[in-house]
Amino acid sequence: TTELDAEANLTFDGSTLAVTGILTVDDINLNGKVVTITGSTDDTFSITAGTNGATTIATVDTAGANGNLTVNIDGYIELNAGDANGSFFIKNSGTSYGTIFNSGNDFYIKSFISDGDLKIQGVDNNSAITALTFDMSAAGAAIFNDDVTVGDDLFLSSDGSRIFFGAGSDVFLTH
């Protein structure tokens, strides 16, 4: 049984089914692996079901501008990966830049770029600032942009540790 809303018109040319107007569908079962939605100037959004459940969501802007994917949810967004570490990878043009994952009860943020720093940024009085930099070329040395407040003890974990004072580090305290 097929019911069509009065606002929808269907045409079929032997290979393509076209819908003009509004078509209301309750459930769709597609026997194929790609759904493509074409927008203005042949821009496309596609969902592709791949091997072993791998799914790709892609946008293509034929004008060469950057296509965007906006997720606008009334509630919250849940990312739930089923691998052993719950991993999420951050890539740009196929190059892996980092990952967010867990191991045991620990939460990790990891950079993949050799000697590429990890930075925490924000806005202070309408100016962009880098509040904290982890210098990966210096074994993750933490560089704070301004004051550091410690709520309790400050431990220097190796004998011979030093605290330096002044721009030229000309005054220091040695353990």
Side-chain angles (χ1 to χ4, degrees):
T1 302
T2 303
E3 290 184 34
L4 295 177
D5 185 293
E7 297 178 58
N9 296 311
L10 295 179
T11 57
F12 183 68
D13 68 5
S15 63
T16 303
L17 176 64
V19 178
T20 306
I22 299 171
L23 176 64
T24 302
V25 179
D26 189 43
D27 293 317
I28 297 175
N29 183 359
L30 300 173
N31 188 13
K33 62 181 185 174
V34 179
V35 175
T36 301
I37 301 169
T38 303
S40 63
T41 64
D42 296 326
D43 298 340
T44 59
F45 168 81
S46 65
I47 302 170
T48 304
T51 307
N52 298 323
T55 302
T56 301
I57 297 174
T59 63
V60 174
D61 184 339
T62 56
N66 293 328
N68 297 310
L69 177 64
T70 301
V71 179
N72 189 347
I73 306 298
D74 190 31
Y76 61 90
I77 297 171
E78 178 178 316
L79 300 174
N80 186 352
D83 75 339
N85 295 323
S87 300
F88 297 94
F89 295 93
I90 296 111
K91 296 182 177 187
N92 185 354
S93 299
T95 299
S96 292
Y97 279 84
T99 183
I100 299 171
F101 65 98
N102 76 292
S103 181
N105 290 328
D106 298 326
F107 178 76
Y108 288 81
I109 299 172
K110 180 180 180 180
S111 173
F112 287 140
I113 304 302
S114 180
D115 295 335
D117 295 343
L118 185 63
K119 299 182 180 200
I120 298 176
Q121 296 185 327
V123 177
D124 180 11
N125 197 26
N126 294 321
S127 295
I129 58 138
T130 299
L132 174 59
T133 299
F134 294 100
D135 185 347
M136 296 306 165
S137 64
I143 303 164
F144 292 86
N145 186 36
D146 207 335
D147 298 343
V148 176
T149 302
V150 178
D152 204 347
D153 300 327
L154 177 64
F155 293 94
L156 302 177
S157 60
S158 61
D159 290 337
S161 296
R162 297 190 282 178
I163 299 175
F164 295 91
F165 300 92
S169 301
D170 50 339
V171 176
F172 55 91
L173 175 64
T174 303
H175 171 262

